[in-house]
Amino acid sequence: MKPELKIFKIGGGIIDREADLMEFVRLFAKVGGPRILVHGGGKGASDMMKRLGIAPQLVNGRRITDAAALDIVTMFYAGKTNKQLVAALQGRGVNALGLSGADGNVILATKRPVREIDYGFVGDLSEASVNADLIQEFLNLELIPVFCAINHDGHGQLLNTNADTIAASLAKALSEHYAVSLHFCFEKRGVLEDVNNDNSVIEKITLANYGELKESGIIADGMLPKLENAFEALQFGVNKVVIEHALHINEELKTTLWLN
C-alpha cells in the first residue's frame, strides 16, 4: 500500500490577509505526515504593478506575464510570500524548504507558445516536468517543500506558472509513489452555487456536470484553471481532489471532485 501524501495549494484572499494566512499555517502545521504546500501570490504583485503604472492582465484567471510583470511576480512569489510562509512554518516546528522550480531543477517548464493570446513569460508543464525522485528525497528527510509559482526553462529563463497547475502537476507526478490527496484551499468553503451564499457549497462535482456548471457561469474566472487541473489530476491517478476553505481544512463541508 502506498503511503499517503497531502498536497495543499493556498491562494486567493487568504494570502492577502496576514492573520488568515497565519491561521492557515497553524492548521497546516497540525496536519502531520508527508505533505507539500504550493502557494500563489495573492493581490500583492498586482498592487505593486499598479503602483508602478503597470496594468495587471488576466485571462480566465491566468496572468499575462511580460518582462516587467515577471520581475514583480518573482519578487513577490519566490521572495516575500515564499519566505514569509517558510519562516512562519519554522516558527511552528515544521521544517519547511522554500522552492521555486529552478531550485534543484525540481520543476522544468516550457514557455507557452503564442497562439490567440501572447501570455509572455508563462511556463507550461508536461508529464516530465516534475523531478518526483528529488521531491521524494526531501519528503524522506521529513522536509516540507513549499513551492511558489516561479519555474524555469533550463536555459536561464524564469517563467511564471499558475499555482493550481503546479499543485496538480506535483500530485500527478507523485501519485506513482504515494496515495495523493490534492487540496485547493482559498477563502470559500468550496465551489458555491451562489457566490453570495457561503453555505451553497456544491459538495460533489463530476466531470459530466462540470461542463454544465461552466456553461451556466457558476464556475468562472479563477475557478476555471482550478477545476481543469483538478480533473486532469484525477485522470492521472490522484486519489482525491477537494476544494475547501483554508481556515476550515478539517471541516466536512467542502467540494469533492469525482470523475463519475
Side-chain angles (χ1 to χ4, degrees):
M1 183 179 293
K2 295 178 182 177
E4 291 186 6
L5 172 66
K6 295 179 180 179
I7 299 177
F8 291 83
K9 186 269 175 173
I10 179 78
I14 298 295
I15 287 179
D16 300 316
R17 297 187 290 270
E18 185 173 356
D20 287 349
L21 186 59
M22 292 304 102
E23 174 62 10
F24 171 78
V25 166
R26 184 186 73 81
L27 295 170
F28 180 83
K30 294 172 67 176
V31 169
R35 59 206 187 279
I36 292 172
L37 179 59
V38 181
H39 66 84
K43 295 178 182 176
S46 293
D47 290 344
M48 176 61 78
M49 287 181 196
K50 291 172 186 175
R51 289 199 293 272
L52 295 174
I54 302 168
Q57 300 178 72
L58 290 97
V59 178
N60 290 330
R62 298 181 186 273
R63 185 184 295 276
I64 294 176
T65 310
D66 61 15
L70 181 65
D71 284 347
I72 293 169
V73 297
T74 300
M75 286 188 288
F76 265 86
Y77 301 170
K80 180 181 182 295
T81 305
N82 188 264
K83 299 315 169 194
Q84 179 186 18
L85 279 166
V86 169
L89 285 166
Q90 296 289 1
R92 290 279 177 182
V94 177
N95 197 7
L97 176 67
L99 295 167
S100 73
D103 296 302
N105 196 30
V106 73
I107 303 178
L108 191 65
T110 303
K111 187 176 182 293
R112 182 172 298 171
V114 178
R115 296 192 177 96
E116 295 86 1
I117 299 169
D118 182 359
Y119 280 93
F121 294 100
V122 165
D124 288 330
L125 305 184
S126 69
E127 290 181 41
S129 289
V130 175
N131 187 339
D133 290 338
L134 181 56
I135 297 171
Q136 192 174 19
E137 287 187 35
F138 294 150
L139 294 170
N140 288 341
L141 290 170
E142 298 186 354
L143 291 167
I144 306 300
V146 179
F147 285 93
C148 69
I150 301 299
N151 295 311
H152 75 135
D153 67 356
H155 303 286
Q157 178 63 59
L158 293 173
L159 297 167
N160 178 30
T161 298
N162 181 278
D164 292 331
T165 301
I166 291 174
S169 295
L170 288 167
K172 289 185 290 185
L174 289 160
S175 64
E176 183 179 342
H177 307 285
Y178 297 91
V180 178
S181 62
L182 175 58
H183 301 252
F184 290 108
C185 306
F186 68 141
E187 68 271 22
K188 301 292 184 181
R189 300 172 84 177
V191 180
L192 303 180
E193 191 166 356
D194 176 0
V195 70
N196 296 311
N197 181 0
D198 283 344
N199 293 317
S200 64
V201 175
I202 304 171
E203 294 189 41
K204 177 181 177 181
I205 298 177
T206 66
L207 192 55
N209 68 2
Y210 167 57
E212 298 169 11
L213 293 167
K214 185 166 63 171
E215 192 172 322
S216 68
I218 291 174
I219 295 173
D221 301 324
M223 191 59 71
L224 289 170
K226 208 178 300 292
L227 267 69
E228 288 167 6
N229 283 297
F231 279 115
E232 186 175 334
L234 288 170
Q235 290 170 318
F236 275 81
V238 172
N239 273 19
K240 182 171 71 172
V241 180
V242 297
I243 299 174
E244 60 194 341
H245 198 297
L247 306 187
H248 304 285
I249 56 178
N250 297 317
E251 225 180 62
E252 290 188 10
L253 186 59
K254 59 189 69 177
T255 299
T256 304
L257 306 184
W258 306 91
L259 289 178
N260 48 51

